[in-house]
Amino acid sequence: MIDFASGDAAIGVIGAGVMGRGIAQVALRGGLRVVIQDNRPGAAEQAARYVLERLERLVRKGELQAGEVAAMRERLVPLESLEGFAGCDAVIEAVIEDLGVKRAVLGELEGIVRPDCLLASNTSSLPIASIARVCQHRERIAGMHFFNPVPVMRLVEIVCGLDTSAATAEALATLARRMGRTPIQVKDSPGFLVNLGGRAFTTEALRLLQEGVGTPAQIDAILRDCGGFPMGPFELMDLTGMDVNYPVTRVVFEELQNDPRLRTTPHHKLLLEAGRLGRKSGAGHYRYDAEGRMVDPPSPDHGLAGAPAARAFVPEVDEGLVALLAEAGIEAFGHDVEDAPIVAAPLGEDASSFAARTGVDHRRLVALDLSGAIDRRITVMTVPGAEPAMQDAVAAALAATGRKVTTIKDSPGFVLQRVRAMIANLGAEMAQMGLAAPADIDLAMRLGLNYPKGPFEIAAEIGARETLLIMERLQAITGDDRYRPSLWLRRRALLGIPLDLPD
Ligand SMILES: NC(=O)c1ccc[n+]([C@@H]2O[C@H](COP(=O)([O-])OP(=O)(O)OC[C@H]3O[C@@H](n4cnc5c(N)ncnc54)[C@H](O)[C@@H]3O)[C@@H](O)[C@H]2O)c1
């Protein structure tokens, strides 16, 4: 088997669509020879022109030398049939996502290429073992899952099927590095790392919407400002489109035997069925103009009314809470103060459970989420039937510190605690399933989804015990197994050992 780290090597790309073109482009930049084929007449030729145009553009931007592109032109060969793939050291197929087509392509390829040529599939949802089933030499077949747009997205998941050899996985990881990518090895499992791990963020947001906790604009603002996510889950769903994210969510849920952790909501499906696909159709969770700009998104901020609170009863002392109240000019008391708000910072509990447990006057209870970044926005939550004046007074005092305030309906774990604990719990479960090592799971989520932190890093920030507590309380309060803690998380949190410690 050839070492792809340096020297001359030839790779084949089958399917000259969006992904095949991107793969050819990064392979050329890695110094490889590339043959590209498509069964649509003229498509390979057209793709080669497209790739060279993209590379010329990089010359104009000063990222490449004209001479380098001239050399790449020599190294790129478009073909109409697979016959010319005989000299390839590795072939990556990026044909349409159809099991029958992929099996047929790999089967035909086996009769053409050398016995030591590696075969990779860029499938995003089909099991590698299933694609490889028709082949004689399954040990040389693996997934090589690139992300769109390939030249921008550095991550490549190297997916090991049941029969993939360690040498094949290693060699393809080296090839990915040669193409300027960051390879991460993952076990053949529905959604691999990224398409599975990404389910927590969007489905928990949809669940919060279903419970009436907040609007898409409120939930997005909280996750951006307090969680550091570059985009909120509803904006993200609108960007990828319901026609893409609903089917992926459904397939991952069903293939993982209907694990309730991955369940989405009827509203998600309804948007798809109504043709509210997101930005591309002019409406999704938000509305868009013809240029794809959001039209009149509702404000996530609490409208200010009344005077700021000057005093509050703090039934459970919390350093962060006391400091915040002091900054907001609210004097904190350890005993009830007549007609003043009762302020708390619960973890994993809804305000109703907090009031019932502590016996405080629930109508005056104002709960604040202090779990994430609180320098720009604070989430405030009350019980059903709460006195609006209490929330208004606390919100006014907090707004006076320069922060935005978002007021939501009662929820165990507010918005941020719930979504982040779900991401952490799913990451832990992925480690428990042996899909990849914790550090690789973190890296995959950061590179593949643009998360500010991976699931294990999020859990470390919240605290492993605290993450477990949020999940346990969510499960107890909702009675829903969607929130059952991963055994990986549970064991390490109970023992106080590092969350990334292997089994
Ligand atoms: N687009 C994405 O965001 C994305 C991301 C990751 C992975 N993928 C996966 O990459 C693969 C390709 O996706 P895409 O978005 O580039 O699709 P695409 O429709 O843009 O391109 C597919 C190409 O394959 C060609 N083709 C179909 N049957 C063929 C055959 N038998 N032989 C040769 N060529 C054939 C088509 O003519 C077409 O040009 C799919 O498996 C998809 O799941 C896509």
Side-chain angles (χ1 to χ4, degrees):
M1 195 180 294
I2 184 169
D3 177 10
F4 288 102
S6 60
D8 182 46
I11 70 151
V13 177
I14 310 178
V18 174
M19 298 305 286
R21 293 169 184 211
I23 294 166
Q25 182 176 328
V26 296
L28 287 171
R29 288 203 68 176
L32 298 158
R33 282 185 287 127
V34 177
V35 288
I36 184 164
Q37 184 268 356
D38 197 289
N39 70 346
R40 258 186 308 126
E45 190 80 44
Q46 196 189 356
R49 275 199 304 277
Y50 174 88
V51 168
L52 290 165
E53 255 167 45
R54 306 298 295 186
L55 293 166
E56 293 287 357
R57 198 180 286 189
L58 296 179
V59 174
R60 290 195 290 280
K61 280 187 174 171
E63 285 180 37
L64 273 178
Q65 304 284 330
E68 288 176 295
V69 176
M72 289 178 202
R73 188 183 297 275
E74 297 296 310
R75 286 193 269 108
L76 177 61
V77 179
L79 294 175
E80 288 290 313
S81 82
L82 294 182
E83 295 305 322
F85 280 55
C88 287
D89 300 297
V91 177
I92 303 168
E93 74 74 15
V95 302
I96 48 166
E97 189 76 346
D98 180 297
L99 181 60
V101 174
K102 287 188 189 291
R103 278 181 174 169
V105 163
L106 287 199
E108 184 184 347
L109 208 53
E110 265 205 324
I112 296 171
V113 296
R114 291 194 316 265
D116 65 343
C117 172
L118 301 180
L119 306 182
S121 170
N122 186 42
T123 179
S124 32
S125 65
L126 301 167
I128 296 304
S130 174
I131 298 173
R133 183 176 160 167
V134 295
C135 294
Q136 300 291 318
H137 300 288
R138 298 174 199 166
E139 70 290 344
R140 62 164 164 176
I141 301 175
M144 216 174 165
H145 186 215
F146 291 81
F147 291 79
N148 187 21
V150 177
V152 176
M153 300 293 286
R154 278 168 50 211
L155 182 67
V156 175
E157 292 178 318
I158 305 290
V159 187
C160 296
L162 289 177
D163 297 318
T164 306
S165 72
T168 297
E170 293 262 305
L172 290 178
T174 305
L175 175 61
R177 277 190 284 270
R178 175 91 179 260
M179 294 161 93
R181 310 295 96 189
T182 304
I184 289 178
Q185 199 170 310
V186 49
K187 214 157 98 174
D188 197 4
S189 177
F192 311 136
L193 288 181
V194 170
N195 282 342
L196 169 58
R199 294 308 109 203
F201 187 58
T202 46
T203 65
E204 192 55 20
L206 284 159
R207 173 63 187 256
L208 286 159
L209 186 68
Q210 175 171 286
E211 279 176 35
V213 171
T215 63
Q218 289 179 315
I219 295 167
D220 279 351
I222 292 167
L223 289 164
R224 273 193 321 261
D225 290 350
C226 308
F229 292 92
M231 273 189 142
F234 294 101
E235 297 169 274
L236 180 67
M237 280 185 262
D238 275 7
L239 181 67
T240 55
M242 271 11 108
D243 53 333
V244 174
N245 57 54
Y246 178 76
V248 173
T249 307
R250 192 180 52 87
V251 165
V252 170
F253 171 67
E254 284 173 6
E255 294 294 319
L256 283 161
Q257 308 303 317
N258 295 6
D259 185 336
R261 289 180 181 120
L262 304 165
R263 195 175 51 212
T264 186
T265 65
H267 180 65
H268 195 188
K269 188 175 183 204
L270 190 66
L271 288 175
L272 171 66
E273 287 178 347
R276 279 186 38 181
L277 306 182
R279 217 183 263 204
K280 64 178 94 166
S281 72
H285 294 290
Y286 300 96
R287 302 207 166 266
Y288 300 86
D289 66 16
E291 274 78 51
R293 282 183 304 249
M294 212 182 269
V295 177
D296 300 332
S299 170
D301 305 336
H302 185 70
L304 294 180
R311 301 182 308 164
F313 166 34
V314 179
E316 285 186 353
V317 176
D318 173 303
E319 263 179 44
L321 179 58
V322 171
L324 177 68
L325 294 181
E327 191 191 339
I330 301 175
E331 194 179 351
F333 290 87
H335 56 80
D336 202 358
V337 184
E338 213 180 323
D339 294 335
I342 300 164
V343 183
L347 200 72
E349 246 180 339
D350 57 354
S352 302
S353 304
F354 181 92
R357 178 171 62 77
T358 58
V360 298
D361 177 1
H362 58 86
R363 287 161 308 172
R364 287 186 288 132
L365 180 62
V366 180
L368 309 181
D369 187 359
L370 304 187
S371 68
I374 55 164
D375 49 328
R376 291 166 66 186
R377 182 176 300 278
I378 299 235
T379 311
V380 173
M381 164 176 99
T382 51
V383 304
E387 284 178 34
M390 297 294 145
Q391 189 181 45
D392 287 343
V394 172
L398 292 170
T401 66
R403 294 171 168 91
K404 304 274 190 211
V405 177
T406 293
T407 45
I408 59 167
K409 296 287 189 331
D410 208 5
S411 158
F414 300 82
V415 168
L416 184 68
Q417 290 176 20
R418 264 173 91 155
V419 172
R420 294 212 302 174
M422 283 295 276
I423 292 172
N425 195 52
L426 184 54
E429 185 64 14
M430 284 156 62
Q432 189 67 64
M433 289 162 71
L435 300 189
D440 283 348
I441 293 172
D442 277 349
L443 185 60
M445 297 300 135
R446 277 194 269 109
L447 294 182
L449 299 169
N450 282 328
Y451 284 0
K453 291 189 164 74
F456 287 87
E457 293 161 326
I458 288 174
E461 190 179 299
I462 302 171
R465 279 175 196 276
E466 287 75 10
T467 306
L468 176 63
L469 185 66
I470 294 169
M471 295 306 299
E472 285 175 340
R473 287 184 164 166
L474 266 163
Q475 188 185 21
I477 292 169
T478 62
D480 191 341
D481 276 353
R482 171 174 175 77
Y483 300 106
R484 71 195 192 284
S486 162
L487 290 176
W488 182 285
L489 169 68
R490 181 180 169 74
R491 291 185 180 125
R492 285 156 183 79
L494 288 180
L495 299 176
I497 55 179
L499 213 49
D500 59 358
L501 197 71
D503 268 340

